[in-house]
């Protein structure tokens, strides 16, 4: 079957078809269509089956990419799914939202000259097809264990850990202050990148596999109706994993920064996602978080900013501008998303930063200043300095702050000063043990590494689960634990 591979010279790269921009603006559905089986097989056949696959080296999950590409090219789709899902809990999600240009595809050796293999699109196809064929099954552990694990946070980090621990037979309980599972995959990332149904079907599958979810139950300092005390959680479970992500929005300074009409990106996106899920959101009905008919200015240059500008377009904004203090080449967000945003009608104002927000009882304009890039610092990042006398004003009756996120102060919020955090507020854990300063309490995902990616949260969740298992086994060896056959 080797003749099916190495086709990159003869077969050009084809990404899945993208819906036209005018069509995309009308709804919050995904913009890329699925590969069909023939396209997936043909595109997989472009892989040159490298002896040292740099694609895998640069995938945070070390996915066995050449193997599942070969199986797909050969039409062995059930096996391709087995291989792909062995290292990734949510391959169809990573296939959709990983920044492949910076990870696997950006490091594909045929990228130079021939354009990379479309790894993400094939990964998505393989798992979507597996769902359609009924090959994606709930977990059935071969034996049940009595030990229980409490996981705080139902984002990708917590969910990946929950699956891995449940596979080993543990009693797994996941607590989340939200009413739905998925973390930022459900309430942060918009449907045009990741349709909500993809996340919801994973939730249902995990429940069928015996993972217990306690939704609308935040962890805090004291027990209450909607909250469970961290101390109670520790007493209830043999081990605890903290996977709470980062939610403290960075503040915006300058005169007028507190005016009504200036909103946080997380509130804006959560509202939009809730509406897509059919929820009633009073803050939207009052017009506070609705871009319809408004001149919208989004401040920031990361993935969150890209998601906000594209959401505003879909809500029918009169104009949408993205204000970023560096240039296109130096922005943290994915260039693929900038292109998508531009196609949909977003205007980027590069090298510009806000100075003040104008308006009496509501924001009406942003006064901004041009910036110039200066010398690089020790990290290689260029400084940015304002250009004197370059001030200008942009109309704005909705301003969205998308400047990034920091961790919430967990030790104070949870009444547990012994929980060590770094000077940035991220949870301190052992590099290989994933254990925090408290015995039996582990950490994973954004709360440990700071705002990152879904694929890294999955990786951390899997690694933390393995360390929790080892720690419980070690403890069990000292005081034998009951292991009951199913
Ligand atoms: P989260 O996904 O944040 O989940 C944490 C969960 O913990 C949440 O459900 C929260 O409700 C819960 N929680 C928090 N505190 C408590 C508490 N006290 N008690 C109970 N529950 C609690 N990554 C990509 O790879 N691709 C993208 O395209 C992408 N786009 C993004 C767009 C936006 C707008 C944002 C904000 C992020 C994006 N990311 C993207 C980053 C990615 O979503 C995160 O890195 C990832 O979700 C982190 O996973 P996590 O499990 O650590 O945390
Ligand atoms: Fe690429 Fe992400 Fe899939 Fe890894 S998980 S192969 S980085 S799309
Ligand atoms: Fe195939 Fe590219 Fe990976 Fe090589 S680097 S194995 S060509 S996908």
């Amino acid at each position: 079957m080797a003749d099916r591979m190495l086709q990159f010279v003869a077969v050009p790269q084809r990404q899945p078809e993208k819906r036209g921009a005018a069509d995309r603006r009308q709804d919050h559905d995904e913009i890329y269509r699925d590969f069909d089986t023939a396209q997936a097989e043909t595109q997989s056949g472009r892989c040159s089956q490298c002896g040292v696959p740099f694609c895998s080296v640069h995938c945070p999950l070390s996915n066995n990419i050449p193997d599942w590409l070969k199986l797909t090219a050969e039409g062995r789709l059930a096996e391709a799914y087995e291989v792909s899902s062995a290292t990734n809990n949510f391959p169809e999600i990573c296939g959709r939202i990983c920044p492949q240009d910076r990870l696997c595809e950006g490091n594909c050796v045929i990228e130079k000259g021939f354009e990379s293999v479309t790894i993400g699109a094939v990964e998505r196809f393989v798992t979507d097809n597996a769902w359609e064929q009924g090959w994606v099954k709930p977990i059935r552990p071969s034996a049940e264990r009595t030990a229980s694990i409490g996981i705080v946070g139902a984002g990708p980090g917590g969910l990946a850990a929950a699956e891995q621990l449940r596979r080993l037979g543990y009693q797994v309980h996941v607590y989340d202050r939200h009413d739905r599972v998925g973390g930022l995959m459900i309430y942060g990332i918009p449907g045009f990148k990741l349709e909500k149904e993809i996340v919801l079907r994973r939730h249902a599958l995990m429940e069928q596999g015996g993972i217990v979810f306690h939704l609308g139950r935040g962890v805090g300092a004291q027990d209450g109706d909607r909250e469970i005390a961290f101390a109670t959680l520790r007493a209830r479970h043999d081990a605890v994993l903290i996977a709470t992500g980062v939610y403290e929005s960075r503040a915006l300074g300058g005169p007028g920064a507190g005016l009504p009409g200036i909103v946080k990106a997380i509130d804006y996106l959560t509202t939009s996602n809730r509406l897509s899920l059919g929820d009633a959101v009073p803050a939207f009905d009052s017009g506070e978080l609705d871009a319809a008919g408004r001149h919208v200015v989004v401040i920031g240059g990361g993935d969150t900013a890209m998601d906000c500008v594209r959401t505003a377009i879909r809500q029918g904004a009169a104009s949408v501008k993205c204000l970023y203090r560096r240039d296109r080449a130096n922005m943290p967000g994915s260039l693929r998303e900038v292109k998508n945003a531009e196609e949909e009608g977003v205007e980027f104002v590069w090298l510009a930063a806000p100075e003040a927000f104008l308006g009496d009882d509501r924001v009406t304009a942003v006064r901004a200043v041009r910036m110039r890039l200066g010398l690089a610092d020790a990290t290689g990042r260029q400084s940015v300095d304002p250009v004197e006398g370059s001030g200008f004003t942009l109309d704005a009756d909705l301003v969205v702050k998308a400047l990034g996120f920091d961790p919430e102060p967990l030790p104070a919020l949870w009444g547990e000063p012994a929980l060590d955090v770094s000077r940035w507020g991220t949870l301190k854990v052992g590099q290989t043990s994933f254990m925090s300063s408290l015995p039996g309490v582990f950490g994973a995902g954004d709360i440990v590494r700071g705002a990152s990616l879904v694929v890294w949260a999955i990786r951390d969740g899997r690694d933390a689960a393995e360390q929790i298992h080892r720690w419980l086994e070690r403890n069990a060896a000292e005081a034998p634990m009951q292991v009951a056959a199913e």
Side-chain angles (χ1 to χ4, degrees):
M1 288 285 182
D3 55 334
R4 296 243 173 122
M5 305 309 290
L6 293 147
Q7 299 297 321
F8 62 93
V9 180
V11 177
Q13 187 204 58
R14 288 271 178 277
Q15 290 290 353
E17 194 191 325
K18 198 158 61 163
R19 294 166 59 207
D23 183 27
R24 279 157 30 198
R25 291 166 61 115
Q26 307 304 317
D27 59 46
H28 294 257
D29 297 344
E30 285 180 7
I31 71 165
Y32 294 100
R33 298 195 198 283
D34 290 332
F35 270 156
D36 61 25
T37 305
Q39 287 168 325
E41 288 180 8
T42 311
Q43 287 297 309
S44 299
R46 296 180 68 243
C47 169
S48 72
Q49 297 287 285
C50 303
V52 180
F54 283 103
C55 54
S56 301
V57 172
H58 289 270
C59 166
L61 292 162
S62 307
N63 277 347
N64 201 340
I65 299 165
D67 280 10
W68 47 256
L69 287 173
K70 184 164 189 287
L71 290 164
T72 305
E74 292 172 358
R76 294 158 65 187
L77 295 178
E79 290 161 87
Y81 165 67
E82 288 305 323
V83 175
S84 147
S85 59
T87 51
N88 189 351
N89 300 74
F90 315 119
E92 76 284 25
I93 294 179
C94 292
R96 284 172 165 85
I97 60 165
C98 270
Q100 285 103 11
D101 48 342
R102 283 191 263 144
L103 301 172
C104 53
E105 293 181 15
N107 290 281
C108 171
V109 294
I110 64 166
E111 168 67 10
K112 300 271 175 290
F114 295 96
E115 296 189 306
S116 71
V117 179
T118 51
I119 299 167
V122 174
E123 188 176 25
R124 165 187 169 168
F125 165 80
V126 165
T127 310
D128 281 351
N129 178 66
W131 276 94
E132 276 166 32
Q133 305 298 328
W135 299 334
V136 184
K137 297 270 194 280
I139 295 164
R140 294 277 172 258
S142 54
E144 291 287 338
R145 296 171 194 260
T146 53
S148 81
I149 294 129
I151 296 180
V152 194
L159 295 180
E163 275 206 351
Q164 297 304 101
L165 290 162
R166 184 68 196 125
R167 276 198 184 109
L168 292 165
Y170 289 104
Q171 308 309 309
V172 180
H173 293 254
V174 182
Y175 300 79
D176 201 292
R177 60 187 174 193
H178 277 317
D179 53 349
R180 287 192 180 91
V181 160
L184 289 172
M185 298 190 300
I186 194 90
Y187 287 138
I189 300 172
F192 49 81
K193 278 164 58 181
L194 173 64
E195 278 172 15
K196 303 294 136 194
E197 181 51 35
I198 308 289
V199 183
L200 296 177
R201 70 184 179 186
R202 282 283 172 191
H203 173 199
L205 191 81
M206 280 186 247
E207 271 189 336
Q208 289 161 24
I211 296 170
V212 182
F213 289 95
H214 305 262
L215 299 180
R217 289 286 273 165
V219 170
Q222 278 171 1
D223 288 321
D225 279 354
R226 297 184 53 79
E227 218 172 61
I228 173 168
F230 181 56
T232 309
L233 197 78
R234 285 191 77 195
R236 193 182 280 181
H237 299 289
D238 298 278
V240 168
L241 175 69
I242 302 176
T244 49
V246 288
Y247 285 89
E248 196 90 23
S249 301
R250 294 205 181 120
L252 193 62
L259 278 171
I262 303 178
V263 302
K264 292 179 184 170
I266 194 70
D267 295 341
Y268 180 63
L269 292 173
T270 303
T271 298
S272 174
N273 279 313
R274 279 195 175 282
L275 292 168
S276 298
L277 284 154
D279 294 352
V281 186
F284 182 81
D285 297 337
S286 71
E288 197 52 36
L289 293 163
D290 186 359
R294 293 211 154 113
H295 295 288
V296 179
V297 172
V298 175
I299 297 167
D303 283 333
T304 304
M306 296 311 107
D307 290 348
C308 291
V309 286
R310 298 178 65 202
T311 298
I313 288 280
R314 283 158 176 79
Q315 289 181 345
S319 70
V320 183
K321 293 190 174 63
C322 181
L323 204 65
Y324 182 53
R325 63 197 185 121
R326 295 173 190 272
D327 59 6
R328 183 190 288 261
N330 286 287
M331 67 174 294
S334 154
L335 290 179
R336 184 179 63 180
E337 297 305 306
V338 175
K339 187 162 179 279
N340 286 334
E342 283 179 329
E343 288 168 1
E344 289 163 11
V346 174
E347 188 187 325
F348 284 84
V349 187
W350 304 112
L351 289 165
E355 268 191 330
F357 301 89
L358 313 179
D360 295 327
D361 42 13
R362 187 184 169 89
V363 70
T364 54
V366 178
R367 202 172 69 223
V369 61
R370 300 276 169 207
M371 308 295 282
R372 80 161 71 84
L373 290 169
L375 295 173
D377 64 12
T379 67
R381 196 137 205 244
Q382 283 173 279
S383 64
V384 271
D385 304 304
V387 178
E388 220 173 293
S390 65
F392 62 101
T393 303
L394 295 172
D395 284 345
D397 42 15
L398 181 65
V399 174
V400 185
K401 299 181 278 185
L403 300 164
F405 300 97
D406 290 315
E408 292 169 318
L410 292 189
L413 288 177
W414 293 4
E416 185 46 272
L419 192 61
D420 270 0
V421 294
S422 71
R423 66 190 163 105
W424 300 279
T426 48
L427 186 65
K428 272 193 188 170
V429 299
Q431 219 172 2
T432 51
S433 72
F434 284 77
M435 188 140 80
S436 72
S437 53
L438 300 174
V441 177
F442 297 76
D446 280 6
I447 187 62
V448 172
R449 48 171 84 236
S452 179
L453 295 172
V454 165
V455 65
W456 279 114
I458 297 172
R459 172 64 197 257
D460 287 353
R462 293 173 69 92
D463 287 350
E466 194 182 322
Q467 295 307 317
I468 292 170
H469 172 54
R470 284 193 193 174
W471 184 80
L472 287 168
E473 292 270 271
R474 268 200 308 276
N475 281 3
E478 284 159 25
M481 195 166 30
Q482 218 184 318
V483 178
E486 203 177 14

Coordinates of all heavy atoms in Angstrom, one line a residue, residues 171-200:
Q171 N -13.4 6.2 40.9 CA -14.7 6.9 41.0 C -14.4 8.4 40.8 O -13.7 9.0 41.6 CB -15.4 6.7 42.3 CG -15.5 5.2 42.7 CD -16.2 4.4 41.6 OE1 -17.2 4.7 41.1 NE2 -15.5 3.3 41.2
V172 N -14.9 9.0 39.7 CA -14.4 10.3 39.3 C -15.6 11.3 39.4 O -16.7 11.1 38.8 CB -13.9 10.3 37.9 CG1 -13.4 11.8 37.5 CG2 -12.7 9.4 37.7
H173 N -15.4 12.4 40.2 CA -16.4 13.4 40.3 C -15.9 14.7 39.8 O -14.8 15.2 40.3 CB -16.8 13.5 41.8 CG -17.5 12.3 42.3 ND1 -18.9 12.3 42.6 CD2 -17.1 11.1 42.6 CE1 -19.2 11.1 43.0 NE2 -18.2 10.3 43.0
V174 N -16.6 15.4 38.9 CA -16.1 16.7 38.4 C -17.1 17.8 38.8 O -18.3 17.6 38.7 CB -16.1 16.6 36.8 CG1 -15.5 17.9 36.3 CG2 -15.2 15.5 36.3
Y175 N -16.5 18.8 39.4 CA -17.2 19.9 39.9 C -17.0 21.1 39.0 O -15.9 21.4 38.7 CB -16.8 20.3 41.4 CG -17.0 19.2 42.3 CD1 -16.1 18.1 42.4 CD2 -18.1 19.1 43.2 CE1 -16.2 17.1 43.3 CE2 -18.3 18.1 44.1 CZ -17.3 17.1 44.1 OH -17.5 16.0 45.0
D176 N -18.1 21.9 38.7 CA -17.9 23.1 37.9 C -18.9 24.1 38.3 O -20.1 23.8 38.5 CB -17.9 22.8 36.4 CG -17.2 23.9 35.6 OD1 -17.7 25.1 35.6 OD2 -16.1 23.7 35.0
R177 N -18.5 25.4 38.4 CA -19.4 26.4 38.8 C -20.4 26.7 37.7 O -21.5 27.3 37.9 CB -18.7 27.7 39.2 CG -17.8 28.3 38.2 CD -17.0 29.4 38.8 NE -16.0 29.9 37.9 CZ -15.0 30.7 38.2 NH1 -14.8 31.1 39.5 NH2 -14.2 31.2 37.3
H178 N -20.0 26.4 36.4 CA -20.9 26.6 35.3 C -22.0 25.5 35.3 O -21.8 24.4 35.8 CB -20.2 26.6 34.0 CG -19.6 27.9 33.7 ND1 -20.3 29.1 33.9 CD2 -18.4 28.3 33.2 CE1 -19.5 30.1 33.5 NE2 -18.4 29.7 33.1
D179 N -23.0 25.7 34.5 CA -24.1 24.7 34.4 C -23.9 23.8 33.2 O -24.7 22.9 33.0 CB -25.5 25.5 34.1 CG -25.4 26.4 33.0 OD1 -24.3 26.7 32.5 OD2 -26.4 27.0 32.6
R180 N -22.8 24.0 32.5 CA -22.5 23.0 31.4 C -21.0 22.7 31.4 O -20.2 23.4 32.0 CB -22.8 23.7 30.0 CG -24.2 23.8 29.7 CD -24.4 24.2 28.2 NE -25.9 24.3 27.9 CZ -26.5 25.4 27.9 NH1 -26.0 26.5 28.4 NH2 -27.8 25.5 27.6
V181 N -20.7 21.5 30.8 CA -19.4 21.0 30.8 C -18.6 21.6 29.6 O -19.2 21.8 28.5 CB -19.5 19.4 30.7 CG1 -18.2 18.8 30.1 CG2 -19.9 18.9 32.0
G182 N -17.3 21.8 29.7 CA -16.5 22.2 28.5 C -15.6 23.3 28.8 O -14.6 23.6 28.1
G183 N -15.8 24.1 29.9 CA -15.0 25.2 30.2 C -15.0 26.2 29.1 O -16.1 26.5 28.5
L184 N -13.8 26.7 28.7 CA -13.8 27.7 27.6 C -14.2 27.1 26.2 O -14.5 27.8 25.3 CB -12.4 28.3 27.5 CG -12.0 29.2 28.6 CD1 -10.5 29.6 28.5 CD2 -12.9 30.5 28.6
M185 N -14.2 25.8 26.1 CA -14.7 25.1 24.9 C -16.2 25.3 24.7 O -16.7 25.3 23.6 CB -14.4 23.6 24.9 CG -12.9 23.3 25.0 SD -12.5 21.6 24.6 CE -13.4 20.8 25.9
I186 N -16.9 25.6 25.8 CA -18.4 25.7 25.6 C -18.7 27.2 25.7 O -19.6 27.7 25.0 CB -19.2 24.9 26.7 CG1 -20.6 24.8 26.3 CG2 -19.1 25.4 28.1 CD1 -21.0 23.7 25.4
Y187 N -18.1 28.0 26.7 CA -18.6 29.4 26.9 C -17.5 30.4 26.4 O -17.9 31.6 26.4 CB -18.9 29.6 28.3 CG -20.2 29.0 28.8 CD1 -20.3 28.3 30.0 CD2 -21.3 29.0 28.0 CE1 -21.5 27.7 30.4 CE2 -22.5 28.4 28.4 CZ -22.6 27.8 29.6 OH -23.8 27.2 30.0
G188 N -16.3 30.0 26.0 CA -15.4 31.0 25.5 C -15.3 30.9 24.0 O -15.6 31.9 23.3
I189 N -14.9 29.8 23.4 CA -14.6 29.7 22.0 C -16.0 29.7 21.2 O -16.9 28.9 21.6 CB -13.8 28.4 21.7 CG1 -12.5 28.4 22.5 CG2 -13.6 28.1 20.2 CD1 -11.7 27.1 22.5
P190 N -16.1 30.5 20.3 CA -17.4 30.6 19.6 C -17.7 29.4 18.7 O -16.8 28.7 18.2 CB -17.3 31.9 18.7 CG -16.1 32.6 19.2 CD -15.2 31.6 19.8
G191 N -19.0 29.3 18.4 CA -19.5 28.2 17.5 C -18.9 28.2 16.1 O -18.8 27.1 15.5
F192 N -18.5 29.3 15.6 CA -18.0 29.3 14.3 C -16.6 28.7 14.2 O -16.1 28.3 13.1 CB -18.0 30.7 13.6 CG -17.4 31.8 14.4 CD1 -16.0 32.0 14.5 CD2 -18.2 32.7 15.1 CE1 -15.5 33.1 15.3 CE2 -17.7 33.7 15.9 CZ -16.3 33.9 16.0
K193 N -15.9 28.5 15.4 CA -14.7 27.7 15.4 C -15.0 26.2 15.9 O -14.3 25.3 15.5 CB -13.7 28.3 16.3 CG -12.9 29.5 15.7 CD -12.2 30.4 16.7 CE -11.2 29.7 17.6 NZ -10.6 30.7 18.5
L194 N -15.9 26.1 16.8 CA -16.2 24.8 17.4 C -17.7 24.8 17.8 O -18.1 25.4 18.8 CB -15.3 24.7 18.7 CG -15.6 23.4 19.6 CD1 -15.2 22.1 18.8 CD2 -14.7 23.5 20.9
E195 N -18.4 24.0 17.0 CA -19.9 24.0 17.3 C -20.2 23.3 18.6 O -19.5 22.4 19.0 CB -20.6 23.3 16.1 CG -20.8 24.3 15.0 CD -21.4 23.6 13.7 OE1 -21.9 22.5 13.8 OE2 -21.3 24.3 12.7
K196 N -21.1 23.9 19.3 CA -21.4 23.4 20.7 C -21.8 22.0 20.8 O -21.5 21.3 21.8 CB -22.5 24.3 21.3 CG -22.3 25.8 21.3 CD -21.1 26.1 22.2 CE -20.2 27.1 21.5 NZ -18.9 27.3 22.2
E197 N -22.4 21.4 19.8 CA -22.9 20.0 19.8 C -21.7 19.1 20.0 O -21.8 18.0 20.6 CB -23.6 19.7 18.5 CG -24.2 18.3 18.4 CD -25.0 17.9 19.6 OE1 -25.7 18.7 20.2 OE2 -24.9 16.6 19.9
I198 N -20.5 19.5 19.4 CA -19.3 18.6 19.5 C -18.9 18.5 21.0 O -18.4 17.4 21.4 CB -18.1 19.3 18.7 CG1 -18.6 19.7 17.3 CG2 -16.9 18.5 18.7 CD1 -18.8 18.6 16.4
V199 N -19.0 19.5 21.8 CA -18.7 19.5 23.2 C -19.8 18.7 24.0 O -19.5 17.9 24.8 CB -18.5 20.9 23.7 CG1 -18.0 20.9 25.2 CG2 -17.4 21.7 22.9
L200 N -21.0 19.0 23.6 CA -22.1 18.4 24.4 C -22.2 16.9 24.3 O -22.4 16.2 25.2 CB -23.5 19.0 23.9 CG -23.7 20.5 24.2 CD1 -25.0 21.0 23.6 CD2 -23.6 20.9 25.7

